């Protein structure tokens, strides 16, 4: 499994982005919960009896395969919003901070379990930095990034998924050197080709209505990719990049309509507030959820539940994270009000 998250440090509240990230976080939590706390593992190649197998497959595809592209895609949308707001200096500073934090957090996680990693943090941060270099040529430059991502996935440069050794075991310089190579081309989440989802988010956010209609038509067409190309996440295949790019566009274009339609019959204002909270703290939620969840799975190996109940510890960690973060926010705001 792999962690999935996106940086929330860039201050932009957009209901579409909030909803996309909230969906991705919920998918992520359910999927990780099944891996950590379930007594039954039904990967596609494993045979399990229904209805457990059906439940596992329903969770596997959106949780393991779709949530990561959603985080990259929504990060690209957020990047474009903040570029338009003139916050490029803030993006540079905080993306670099996330890159450094990702290295430190990965070292911590790998210290608990050598088979684990959190390279998606560095990948998103580096992807944002590279995309930012091209933001003056949104139509051309970011389009080139998207094309390059497709070429890399076709050439399958990331033919071998590698995980750098823990820094204290291999030495800091070796760790950084291997980590830099893994970050760019052959890690679990190499910047190329995963940057394609960020570039697509930038293009979608900056597109005119006419261009969005064309992108939506293309998105519907690429949903047929699984019938023609393999959809592989490790390493990322052309079929995966195209298929889940289409799903990201479809969800981004339809989620607002779905929310408005539901609001006609039920007041879901509290759900929108919940989505905003999840999006605002998505990075913090990932750190708390991923660290505590893996520690529990490593140090409490007997904590295994039937598959339908295995999601409860994961959502318990999610609620704990939200309560701590909400309490901290209120405390900080009260200090500001007093000062």
């Amino acid at each position: 499994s792999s962690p999935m998250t996106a940086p929330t440090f860039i201050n932009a509240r957009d209901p579409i982005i909030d909803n996309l990230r909230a969906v991705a976080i919920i998918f992520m939590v359910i999927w990780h919960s099944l891996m950590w706390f379930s007594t039954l593992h039904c990967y596609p190649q494993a045979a399990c009896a229904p209805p457990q197998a059906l439940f596992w497959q329903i969770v596997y595809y959106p949780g393991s395969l779709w949530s990561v592209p959603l985080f990259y895609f929504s990060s690209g949308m957020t990047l474009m919003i903040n570029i338009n707001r003139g916050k490029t200096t803030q993006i540079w500073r905080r993306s670099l901070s996330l890159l450094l934090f990702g290295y430190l957090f990965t070292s911590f996680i790998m210290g608990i379990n050598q088979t684990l990693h959190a390279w998606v943090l560095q990948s998103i941060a580096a992807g944002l930095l590279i995309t930012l270099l091209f933001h003056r040529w949104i139509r051309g430059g970011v389009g080139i990034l998207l094309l390059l991502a497709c070429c890399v996935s076709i050439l399958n440069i990331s033919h071998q998924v590698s995980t750098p050794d823990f820094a204290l075991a291999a030495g800091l310089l070796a760790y950084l050197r291997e980590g830099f190579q893994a970050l760019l081309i052959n890690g679990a989440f190499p910047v190329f080709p995963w940057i394609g989802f960020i570039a697509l988010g930038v293009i979608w956010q900056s597109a005119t209505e006419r261009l969005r209609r064309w992108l939506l038509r293309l998105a519907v067409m690429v949903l047929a990719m699984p019938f023609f190309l393999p959809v592989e996440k490790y390493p990322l295949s052309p079929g995966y990049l195209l298929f889940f790019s289409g799903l990201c566009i479809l969800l981004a274009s339809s989620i607002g309509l779905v929310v408005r339609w539901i609001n006609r019959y039920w007041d879901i204002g509290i759900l929108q507030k919940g989505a905003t909270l999840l999006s605002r703290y998505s990075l913090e939620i990932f750190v708390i959820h991923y660290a505590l969840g893996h520690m529990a799975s490593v140090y409490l190996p007997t904590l295994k539940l039937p598959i339908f109940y295995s999601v409860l510890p994961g959502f318990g960690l999610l609620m704990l994270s939200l309560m701590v973060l909400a309490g901290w926010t209120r405390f900080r705001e009260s200090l500001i009000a007093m000062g």
Side-chain angles (χ1 to χ4, degrees), residues 67-326:
S67 56
V68 185
L70 280 176
F71 282 124
Y72 280 83
F73 180 78
S74 62
S75 295
M77 294 174 65
T78 305
L79 177 66
M80 193 64 240
I81 288 176
N82 285 278
I83 287 173
N84 291 333
R85 294 178 178 179
K87 296 184 177 181
T88 54
T89 302
Q90 182 180 2
I91 299 171
W92 276 104
R93 183 175 65 252
R94 295 190 173 180
S95 294
L96 289 170
S97 299
L98 180 67
L99 189 63
L100 175 60
F101 174 78
Y103 271 97
L104 296 175
F105 186 65
T106 295
S107 298
F108 168 75
I109 287 295
M110 291 179 68
I112 299 174
N113 187 334
Q114 288 282 335
T115 64
L116 304 177
H117 60 85
W119 283 99
V120 70
L121 293 176
Q122 298 97 301
S123 177
I124 291 178
L128 289 173
L129 291 170
I130 294 172
T131 307
L132 189 59
L133 294 174
F134 289 81
H135 81 273
R136 295 184 183 276
W137 308 279
I138 290 300
R139 296 286 175 82
V142 179
I144 291 174
L145 286 180
L146 182 59
L147 180 62
L148 181 60
C150 292
C151 292
V152 169
S153 63
I154 291 171
L155 295 173
N156 201 17
I157 291 177
S158 54
H159 62 281
Q160 181 180 0
V161 176
S162 65
T163 302
D165 293 328
F166 185 42
L168 295 180
L172 182 59
L173 292 179
Y175 172 78
L176 292 176
R177 182 177 61 253
E178 187 178 350
F180 184 73
Q181 178 181 335
L183 176 65
L184 289 182
I185 59 172
N186 71 339
F189 293 96
V191 173
F192 294 99
W194 281 92
I195 197 174
F197 291 111
I198 295 179
L200 187 65
V202 171
I203 292 172
W204 176 259
Q205 188 63 36
S206 61
T208 62
E209 287 300 320
R210 182 180 179 183
L211 179 56
R212 285 191 176 188
R213 286 195 294 270
W214 277 104
L215 289 173
L216 191 56
R217 294 188 185 103
L218 291 174
V220 174
M221 293 173 61
V222 300
L223 293 184
M225 282 296 105
F227 297 101
F228 303 99
L229 294 172
V231 178
E232 299 290 342
K233 183 179 179 182
Y234 302 116
L236 189 148
S237 66
Y240 183 100
L241 180 63
L242 293 173
F243 179 74
F244 285 99
S245 291
L247 284 182
C248 287
I249 288 176
L250 286 174
L251 186 59
S253 62
S254 62
I255 196 166
L257 297 175
V258 172
V259 169
R260 286 196 294 271
W261 181 81
I262 296 177
N263 263 325
R264 293 172 57 185
Y265 304 97
W266 299 282
D267 182 10
I268 59 171
I270 189 171
L271 293 181
Q272 184 59 59
K273 292 180 180 178
T276 301
L277 190 63
L278 289 173
S279 176
R280 179 180 181 182
Y281 292 119
S282 60
L283 175 60
E284 293 86 347
I285 288 171
F286 163 69
V287 170
I288 297 174
H289 152 85
Y290 195 68
L292 294 182
H294 270 305
M295 290 175 70
S297 66
V298 170
Y299 296 114
L300 298 173
T302 58
L303 182 59
K304 301 295 182 182
L305 300 170
I307 190 168
F308 294 117
Y309 298 99
S310 61
V311 298
L312 297 179
F315 275 103
L317 290 174
L318 176 62
M319 297 306 297
L320 175 64
S321 304
L322 287 176
M323 287 189 293
V324 170
L325 294 168

Side-chain angles (χ1 to χ4, degrees), residues 280-281 326-339:
R280 179 180 181 182
Y281 292 119
W328 166 251
T329 300
R330 289 188 178 182
F331 176 71
R332 185 177 58 183
E333 290 175 350
S334 65
L335 290 179
I336 294 174
M338 292 172 58

